[in-house]
Every structure is written in structure tokens, then in C-alpha cells.
């Protein structure tokens, strides 16, 4: 493939910046932009060993002194011949070096193209390539750990046995259907059914991880709602650890929604602080209240704050009615530091309203005032077994493909049990393989064919 080049590091001035190159013949290009201090040509540098030298611009003038490394394929990231230049991290220097590489015959790499080549060259499957993006975008240490384990093949290792079983099933059926005259061992329905059942079980187990995977990667969309002055913005600030939103003792301070991602009980919450909900004639506040309602409609978790220093009012009850429409809701009495300890309020819910997932007290100012909330959130979105890292489904595309695979396996199984002909069962098993292929990028067709022929006698 042609030679691609790109700045691999950020766009701001940094201590060190890296330009990377990949593709057949890239060492000859590097020769034109780098003069090693050891006097050896680039192609003659030791593999994977940093060498000091001068970086040259397109007119051969020195623009930096730094380190370069030659990374011969196939044992490189992309599987091709690669090289890296570690310069001083000035955006100008990096761009000059890049354009020198373009002048020497490289072209700008597209987004993700290095990793795409790694995939195309069989260095990783699609689940691993996606893990690279997840790792770079990870917002929490737990999400990074999961992505790192997926990059190490965690998800691939879960899917491989399922693919193996389905390949075995389909190739057997094919052999029998397409080559009836060959002396091939017959399809044994009980064996096939056992394999399909096992595949279904594994996929089922995998699909159980979707919710945890999505919480881990994308977090939980959470709206904080309540009457004006209940302490919503204070709670957002306390969870964020800095003064994100304006707090005053004037009811109606927050007019628009304010968003911030926070860690609460080890769970990434995408918090939306909202305008206090009340009947108002103020035009701006009215619009804000409308947005609060929208935030509830789009939230997975709603935290209803009730001012702990006052009684529960009719307005609070209306807000509870709204909140219970969300998949999860927690009710919290605020400002618990202002109350005498020990006297827990009993929440009397309006008729017909679902029990909240938790009812507790919070203080946004007292040390440890959020402990109960953190515990409730952690319980609502359990982290799962640490050994599970890397083998969770973390996005909708993956989930959708795994679900289609499972449905097809189930259909195959039903067909088999109903005594359908092999070719009917085959269609479903192949569909399952295809769906798994979308997940891993492994195309089944060729593998099926080679397996069919491996059943033939040697010399045939
Ligand atoms: N400077 C630099 N840092 C980087 C990368 C890079 O390309 N350059 N990476 C990329 O974005 C990531 C690391 N990924 C890599 C994965 C495999 C190989 C590699 O050469 N693998 C060989 C040899 C492994 C070994 O010695 O055991 C192989 O698997 O055959 C290199 C980088 C993160 N850090
Ligand atoms: N002592 C104490 N005061 C609090 C606590 N939480 C909020 N307050 C006070 O209550 C008042 C209102 O707090 P905000 O966080 O602005 O309330 P809000 O719900 O965002 O109000 P609106 O934006 O007007 O809807 C402020 O004076 C806060 O300092 C708390 O946990 N303890
Ligand atoms: Mg507010």
C-alpha cells in the first residue's frame, strides 16, 4: 500500500511530538527527511532502536534535532514498514516535517488509517481496532482498563469459540448437501443441536454485558430535578468537585440546563442540572422549566432533590410524578447538614407512583454528605466482575450484531428440532456467522469453503 504519514500527537505545543509514516518503501522517503548522526542511511538503522539526527524540511534545511526509529514490517503496528520521528512538539516543526514527507512522496493519512491497515494486514480484528478508539476516548480509568483488555483480544476470545462452532456446523451441512456422493460423515442432528445450543448460551451471556458495557463507556445520562432552591446546582458542583454552575439563595437561579460528567460511586454520570420546576410567568424561566422536562424525558436516571429543610409540597409531588417516568429515579432530601441527625423523613408518594430506586439524604457541603447517593448509584449500576474487563459489549453496533447472531442461532436450532432440511438450517447458521463477521471483521465465506474441502480425503 502507498505511504501514509501523519502527526500522531496533539495539535497544541507539547514537549515532544511524533510524526509517523507507514507503507511500502517508506524508508527511502525517510532518508530524504532525516540525517542520522551515526552517518548510516535510514534503511540501515537498527530496527526498533531510536537514533538521533537532524530533521530536514522540503528544501533540506534543518528544522529540528530529534530521534527517529525504523520499524520494519511485518512486526510493526500496521504490519507494514513504518517509521517515527520524535521531534520537539512544536506544531510548526511537525507540519514542516510532514510536508517534507509529502514532497518525498507520502500522502496524508486519513483518520484511523494506520489502525485500518493494522486490521487489513491481520494485525488485529475489528473488536481490537474499535478498542483503540475506546482507549483513546476513555473518560474513566475503568473504561480505559476495559478498552485495554479488549485491545488485548478480550472480546475476540469470547466470539471465537462461537464462530468456530458455527463454522463447523455450516461446513458439515454444506459438505453433505453439495457433495452427496462423497464419503463424508453424515450430519448428526444431536451433535449439531448441542453446538448450536452452546453458541446460543455464549451469545446470551455476552448480551447480558451490554448494559454494563454501555454504562462503562458512555456513562449514565442523569437529570437532577427539583423545585427552585432545592440545591440542584450545589449537588452538581459537589459531584463535579468545582463550581460548575451558579449557586445563589435566589430561587430560579438556574435558567438553562448545565451539563457535566462526573464520577459518582465509581459510575460515570452525564449530569444535567436543570432549572427548578415551578409554575412561573417569567418567559425565560418558563423555557428553562420546559428544558427540565425534556431532560427528564431523555435521562436514564433522574435524581429528585427535595429541600430537606421544608415540607414536601404539592409541587414536589408533581415532580415525583414526572421523575418516575424515567427508567430509574432516586429521591434525595437535600441540605441534610442543616437537620438534626437521626430523624429520617418518611416519603409518602402520590397514589399510583412507582417506588423510587432509593430514598436518601444528601448534603452538598458536609464532608461525606454524598456517601448515600454514591452507594445508591453504585448499587444501581454495578461494575461487574473485574475479570469481565475486555469482554463486554460497549456499543450499539456490537450489540445489534450479537443480537442478530443469537436470533439466527435460535432459528437454526428451532429448525433442527422441527426436523427441517439441512439447507434451511444452514441459511440461519450462515446468517449468524455473517452477523458475527460484522463484529469481528472475520469473513466466514472462505473459511467455510476451506473447511468443506478439508473433509475430503487427501488426494481428492
Ligand atoms: N511511539 C509509539 N507509541 C505507541 C504506538 C506507536 O505506534 N508508536 N502505538 C500504536 O499506535 C501504541 C502501541 N501499539 C503497538 C502495538 C504493536 C507494536 C509492535 O511493533 N508489535 C510487534 C512487536 C511486539 C514485541 O516486540 O513483542 C508485533 O506484534 O510483532 C507496536 C506498537 C501505543 N504507543
Ligand atoms: N447548608 C446547605 N445549603 C445548601 C446545600 N445545598 C444547597 N444549599 C443552599 O441552597 C441554596 C440554593 O442552592 P442551589 O444549588 O442554587 O439550588 P438550585 O436547586 O440549583 O436552585 P435553582 O437553580 O434556583 O432551581 C443556596 O443558598 C445553597 O448554598 C446543602 O447541602 N447544605
Ligand atoms: Mg440551580
Amino acid at each position: 500500500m502507498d505511504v501514509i504519514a501523519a502527526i500522531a500527537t496533539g495539535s497544541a505545543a507539547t514537549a515532544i511530538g511524533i510524526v509517523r509514516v507507514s507503507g511500502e518503501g517508506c524508508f527511502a522517503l525517510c532518508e530524504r527527511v532525516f540525517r542520522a548522526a551515526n552517518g548510516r542511511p535510514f534503511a540501515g538503522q537498527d530496527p526498533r532502536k531510536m537514533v538521533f539526527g537532524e530533521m530536514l524540511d522540503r528544501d533540506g534545511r534543518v528544522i529540528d534535532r530529534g530521534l527517529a526509529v525504523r520499524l520494519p514490517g511485518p512486526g510493526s503496528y500496521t504490519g507494514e514498514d513504518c517509521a517515527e520521528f520524535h521531534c520537539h512538539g512544536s506544531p510548526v516543526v511537525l507540519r514542516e516535517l510532514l510536508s517534507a514527507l509529502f514532497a518525498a512522496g507520502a500522502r496524508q493519512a486519513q483518520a484511523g488509517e494506520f489502525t485500518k491497515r493494522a486490521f487489513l494486514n491481520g494485525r488485529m480484528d475489528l473488536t481490537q481496532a474499535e478498542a483503540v478508539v475506546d482507549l483513546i476516548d476513555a473518560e474513566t480509568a475503568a473504561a480505559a482498563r476495559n478498552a485495554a483488555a479488549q485491545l488485548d483480544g478480550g472480546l475476540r476470545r469470547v466470539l471465537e469459540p462461537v464462530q468456530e462452532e458455527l463454522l463447523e456446523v455450516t461446513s458439515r451441512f454444506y459438505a453433505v448437501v453439495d457433495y452427496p456422493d462423497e464419503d463424508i460423515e453424515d450430519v448428526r442432528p444431536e451433535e449439531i443441536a448441542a453446538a448450536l445450543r452452546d453458541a446460543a448460551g455464549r451469545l446470551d451471556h455476552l448480551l447480558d454485558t451490554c448494559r454494563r458495557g454501555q454504562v462503562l463507556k458512555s456513562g449514565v445520562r442523569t437529570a437532577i430535578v427539583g423545585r427552585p432552591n432545592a440545591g440542584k446546582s450545589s449537588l452538581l458542583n459537589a459531584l463535579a468537585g468545582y463550581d460548575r454552575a451558579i449557586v445563589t439563595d435566589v430561587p430560579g437561579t438556574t435558567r438553562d440546563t448545565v451539563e457535566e460528567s462526573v464520577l459518582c460511586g465509581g459510575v460515570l454520570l452525564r449530569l444535567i442540572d436543570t432549572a427548578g420546576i415551578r409554575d412561573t410567568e417569567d418567559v425565560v424561566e418558563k423555557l428553562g422549566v420546559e428544558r427540565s422536562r425534556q431532560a427528564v424525558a431523555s435521562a436514564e436516571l433522574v435524581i429528585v432533590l427535595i429541600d430537606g429543610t421544608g415540607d414536601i409540597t404539592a409541587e414536589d409531588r408533581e415532580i415525583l410524578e414526572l421523575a418516575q417516568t424515567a427508567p430509574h429515579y432516586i429521591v434525595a432530601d437535600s441540605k441534610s447538614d442543616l437537620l438534626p441527625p437521626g430523624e429520617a423523613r418518611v416519603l409518602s408518594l402520590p397514589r399510583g407512583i412507582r417506588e423510587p430506586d432509593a430514598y436518601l439524604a444528601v448534603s452538598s457541603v458536609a464532608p461525606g454528605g454524598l456517601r448515600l447517593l454514591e452507594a445508591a448509584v453504585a448499587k444501581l449500576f454495578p461494575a461487574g466482575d473485574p475479570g469481565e474487563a475486555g469482554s463486554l459489549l460497549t456499543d450499539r453496533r456490537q450489540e445489534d450484531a450479537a443480537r442478530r447472531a443469537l436470533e439466527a442461532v435460535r432459528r437454526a436450532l428451532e429448525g433442527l428440532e422441527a426436523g427441517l432440511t439441512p439447507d434451511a438450517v444452514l441459511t440461519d447458521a450462515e446468517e449468524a456467522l455473517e452477523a458475527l463477521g460484522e463484529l469481528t471483521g472475520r469473513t466466514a465465506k472462505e473459511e467455510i469453503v476451506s473447511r468443506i474441502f478439508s473433509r475430503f480425503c487427501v488426494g481428492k
Side-chain angles (χ1 to χ4, degrees):
M1 273 182 265
D2 55 348
V3 178
I4 52 173
I7 298 170
T9 44
S11 52
T14 49
I16 292 165
I18 301 177
V19 173
R20 78 202 303 212
V21 191
S22 178
E24 212 174 305
C26 76
F27 300 145
L29 265 72
C30 294
E31 184 62 33
R32 302 199 13 209
V33 307
F34 184 76
R35 195 157 51 218
N38 64 17
R40 301 216 303 258
F42 198 86
Q45 298 296 341
D46 293 342
R48 310 167 70 86
K49 196 172 159 199
M50 288 281 199
V51 54
F52 184 71
E54 291 167 335
M55 279 88 180
L56 311 172
D57 70 10
R58 52 202 307 160
D59 300 318
R61 293 172 300 201
V62 174
I63 40 165
D64 195 4
R65 286 180 180 78
L67 294 165
V69 58
R70 187 173 81 89
L71 304 157
S76 67
Y77 181 71
T78 59
E80 306 173 324
D81 282 350
C82 292
E84 291 181 4
F85 300 95
H86 295 225
C87 310
H88 292 98
S90 144
V92 177
V93 167
L94 297 172
R95 277 200 296 270
E96 283 290 299
L97 181 60
L98 190 61
S99 49
L101 282 163
F102 294 161
R107 69 161 171 85
Q108 172 66 49
Q110 292 157 6
E113 201 172 4
F114 285 90
T115 306
K116 183 176 172 191
R117 288 190 176 191
F119 166 67
L120 293 174
N121 292 324
R123 303 284 300 163
M124 54 174 76
D125 75 356
L126 275 187
T127 66
Q128 290 169 298
E130 285 182 307
V132 172
V133 182
D134 289 352
L135 186 55
I136 292 171
D137 291 344
E139 288 177 71
T140 63
R145 269 193 298 274
N146 182 62
Q150 187 175 319
L151 182 55
D152 189 42
L155 194 49
R156 196 195 61 216
R157 279 191 289 277
V158 174
L159 293 167
E160 246 164 20
V162 182
Q163 285 178 313
E164 277 307 306
E165 278 169 325
L166 290 171
L167 274 171
E168 190 62 23
V169 169
T170 44
S171 61
R172 271 203 196 198
F173 272 127
Y174 263 122
V176 174
V177 173
D178 290 354
Y179 304 94
D181 300 334
E182 292 297 328
D183 186 19
I184 299 165
E185 199 190 335
D186 227 357
V187 180
R188 281 208 293 272
E190 350 44 277
E191 245 174 63
I192 305 276
L196 289 174
R197 241 177 258 122
D198 185 72
R202 288 175 194 263
L203 286 171
D204 217 14
H205 186 74
L206 183 64
L207 280 159
D208 271 348
T209 67
C210 282
R211 184 159 178 258
R212 284 194 296 285
Q214 262 162 31
V215 168
L216 189 65
K217 184 169 127 180
S218 311
V220 180
R221 213 175 142 78
T222 305
I224 308 176
V225 297
R227 276 193 290 138
N229 241 10
K232 300 177 293 300
S233 301
S234 302
L235 178 61
L236 174 94
N237 290 349
L239 285 167
Y242 75 105
D243 286 340
R244 170 71 178 84
I246 298 171
V247 167
T248 73
D249 56 5
V250 181
T253 299
T254 306
R255 295 297 190 96
D256 207 345
T257 47
V258 177
E259 305 199 6
E260 181 69 31
S261 294
V262 305
L263 261 187
C264 176
V267 182
L268 178 68
L269 299 185
R270 302 211 173 278
L271 279 186
I272 314 162
D273 175 26
T274 62
I277 297 177
R278 66 172 166 188
D279 278 331
T280 171
E281 291 311 311
D282 182 306
V283 186
V284 180
E285 195 178 353
K286 231 187 173 108
L287 290 171
V289 171
E290 190 43 46
R291 289 205 171 181
S292 304
R293 292 182 190 278
Q294 285 165 6
V296 171
S298 69
E300 176 160 14
L301 170 66
V302 173
I303 300 172
V304 181
L305 268 194
I306 299 177
D307 194 328
T309 61
D311 291 332
I312 299 179
T313 67
E315 272 174 331
D316 287 322
R317 287 183 219 287
E318 270 175 42
I319 293 167
L320 287 168
E321 264 178 71
L322 179 67
Q324 59 121 24
T325 59
H328 300 286
Y329 83 112
I330 291 175
V331 183
D333 284 336
S334 63
K335 312 181 189 179
S336 66
D337 53 287
L338 297 178
L339 303 173
E343 282 173 48
R345 177 150 71 184
V346 182
L347 184 69
S348 69
L349 289 167
R351 206 175 274 284
I353 285 191
R354 165 170 78 82
E355 281 289 321
D357 293 278
Y359 176 48
L360 43 86
V362 294
S363 168
S364 299
V365 298
L370 304 178
R371 216 173 280 148
L372 294 173
L373 179 64
E374 285 161 356
V377 169
K379 193 167 160 221
L380 212 45
F381 302 97
D385 183 351
E388 200 179 51
S391 54
L392 299 162
L393 290 180
T394 50
D395 74 36
R396 295 249 181 255
R397 189 193 76 83
Q398 293 174 342
E399 180 183 346
D400 176 61
R403 212 171 285 288
R404 276 185 284 125
L406 176 59
E407 280 161 13
V409 170
R410 289 211 172 119
R411 277 200 305 278
L413 203 50
E414 280 164 22
L416 199 65
E417 279 162 358
L420 285 190
T421 54
D423 47 329
V425 176
L426 190 57
T427 313
D428 289 323
E430 264 194 299
E431 201 178 311
L433 262 179
E434 211 147 291
L436 290 178
E438 282 175 39
L439 255 176
T440 60
R442 193 169 146 186
T443 44
K445 288 258 158 19
E446 264 173 49
E447 289 186 62
I448 296 177
V449 171
S450 60
R451 241 179 236 236
I452 293 172
F453 289 103
S454 72
R455 293 185 191 289
F456 285 44
C457 313
V458 177
K460 259 267 171 194

